[in-house]
Amino acid sequence: MKQLKSIVAVVAGLFAFTSVQAGELSVTGSMQATYQSQPEAVTGNSLGMNTDLTFSGSTDTDFGTATWTMATDGTFLGESGADHTFKVATDMGTIGIGNSGDAANAVDDITPSAFEEANGSGSGAYTEDFGSGMDGSMSLNYANGDLFGTGVSVAYNYYPQLDAKTNNEKGASANTGTKSENASSAQSVNVGLPLAGLPIVGNTPLGGMKITAGYNESDARTVNGTAKRGGTVAVNLPVGPLSVGFQKKAYQPLGATVSEANKVFYKDDIIGVAYAMNDDFAISYNVIESVKHLHSAGTTVEQESKAINFAYTVGGLTLGVQDAKTSNSGYVLNTDKDSRTISVKTAF
């Protein structure tokens, strides 16, 4: 742990002593308007809207190109909800500090979809997930999209403390643990393995396949409490206009106490099949089966969401439609929660 803290200090110093030159600032974003209905529930106003803005600045340094980004994610009342990142791109990869861009959360569901994940538009009630709760805390991160010219990608985050705090410069958050050793440090990683570079296989239709693995863990804040841990493996294969993907996940949430009721873990199977009819129109079928294993009762409950997605693009405007059905919503037997969503989104 002392060595890791030393590495953090050295990297922080790298950012502090980087020479500064005149740079560039750009703004990108998107606007989305939606209408959602839930046949199994009585809802109020079904209209929704979201505006995302990302401010990006870059400048050349002696070590590489330094970039800074701040993403609003629809938050405009102060900057407490904004995503901040500061990165330096080098020949050996990109090193950064920030409160967003977690490696595990980035691959929580990467199966093909024309519009949204099976549970991505309000169908079902999934309170826990692989990689959830990682974004929002300050972390040191590293990424390389082509490791040593092999085509293998890797991304890694280390959190000195997983506390959902965005610290100001020259500031530090309070210790969340009763002792420094149980202050809930965390880490996450994902690795992408393309088959295109393999002998024989790379020259077949399977050469387009990519295998992605991810892992995350966080120390328990409670002595003898359940640690947050999870892993996933995804396989995606594009064949012309058809894309097929399968993903497995297993994870356990962070336990607040040592009681048996908190000893729970989940296993998910995800399927995505997408087909691009042409450059403008795509359709997909997506399924997620999530099984909750409750240790105290020795029981399991499966929550399943199935969805059909459509997407039609006209210039910079995308129309998305999802019809989703969920059984045993919230891991409660015989509870359905279906949703139908229409989305109009534009990027600028």
Side-chain angles (χ1 to χ4, degrees):
M1 181 61 73
K2 290 183 178 179
Q3 290 181 336
L4 189 52
K5 289 182 178 178
S6 298
I7 294 174
V8 173
V10 170
V11 173
L14 172 66
F15 290 131
F17 291 103
T18 297
S19 61
V20 179
Q21 302 179 22
E24 298 179 354
L25 180 67
S26 63
V27 181
T28 59
S30 65
M31 298 182 68
Q32 183 179 22
T34 62
Y35 174 83
Q36 186 208 65
S37 64
Q38 298 181 19
E40 305 295 332
V42 178
T43 60
N45 195 328
S46 297
L47 296 175
M49 192 170 184
N50 184 60
T51 302
D52 292 337
L53 287 176
T54 300
F55 299 86
S56 301
S58 64
T59 187
D60 293 329
T61 74
D62 295 339
F63 304 101
T65 301
T67 60
W68 163 88
T69 62
M70 184 181 75
T72 62
D73 196 23
T75 303
F76 292 95
L77 300 178
E79 63 174 25
S80 59
D83 297 334
H84 301 263
T85 60
F86 180 39
K87 299 181 178 181
V88 175
T90 72
D91 293 338
M92 297 301 293
T94 301
I95 303 171
I97 293 175
N99 69 340
S100 64
D102 180 72
N105 190 50
V107 295
D108 68 327
D109 184 353
I110 55 174
T111 56
S113 177
F115 172 48
E116 273 287 2
E117 304 169 359
N119 60 337
S121 291
S123 183
Y126 298 81
T127 55
E128 299 290 343
D129 198 0
F130 168 73
S132 64
M134 303 296 285
D135 274 330
S137 301
M138 299 298 294
S139 75
L140 175 67
N141 55 76
Y142 171 80
N144 193 323
D146 187 10
L147 198 62
F148 305 117
T150 61
V152 175
S153 63
V154 61
Y156 175 80
N157 294 76
Y158 170 73
Y159 301 83
Q161 183 167 269
L162 195 67
D163 54 10
K165 302 292 184 183
T166 301
N167 300 328
N168 292 327
E169 77 283 2
K170 301 184 290 289
S173 60
N175 184 8
T176 59
T178 55
K179 298 180 180 179
S180 59
E181 58 265 27
N182 65 334
S184 193
S185 61
Q187 59 185 332
S188 60
V189 63
N190 74 60
V191 179
L193 306 171
L195 302 189
L198 294 180
I200 303 176
V201 176
N203 297 323
T204 69
L206 293 178
M209 180 183 295
K210 183 176 182 179
I211 301 173
T212 303
Y215 176 78
N216 75 310
E217 66 175 6
S218 170
D219 299 335
R221 295 191 180 107
T222 305
V223 178
N224 296 325
T226 304
K228 181 181 181 68
R229 235 177 236 112
T232 186
V233 176
V235 179
N236 288 303
L237 174 64
V239 182
L242 178 68
S243 296
V244 180
F246 176 72
Q247 184 167 353
K248 291 188 73 72
K249 299 190 292 185
Y251 50 95
Q252 65 181 17
L254 190 67
T257 69
V258 295
S259 67
E260 287 290 303
N262 279 296
K263 295 180 180 178
V264 59
F265 67 96
Y266 301 81
K267 290 183 178 180
D268 298 355
D269 289 339
I270 308 173
I271 298 174
V273 180
Y275 187 82
M277 308 294 290
N278 51 48
D279 292 339
D280 302 321
F281 182 69
I283 183 174
S284 71
Y285 178 68
N286 300 83
V287 179
I288 176 170
E289 297 176 350
S290 180
V291 180
K292 180 179 181 180
H293 297 256
L294 191 59
H295 181 70
S296 59
T299 59
T300 60
V301 179
E302 179 182 278
Q303 179 177 193
E304 182 183 56
S305 295
K306 299 179 179 179
I308 297 177
N309 290 280
F310 301 90
Y312 183 69
T313 302
V314 182
L317 191 70
T318 300
L319 173 65
V321 178
Q322 182 184 83
D323 185 0
K325 299 182 181 298
T326 297
S327 58
N328 297 336
S329 177
Y331 305 98
V332 179
L333 292 174
N334 304 316
T335 301
D336 297 334
K337 186 179 181 182
D338 305 339
S339 67
R340 295 186 181 95
T341 304
I342 300 175
S343 166
V344 178
K345 187 174 184 178
T346 183
F348 54 87

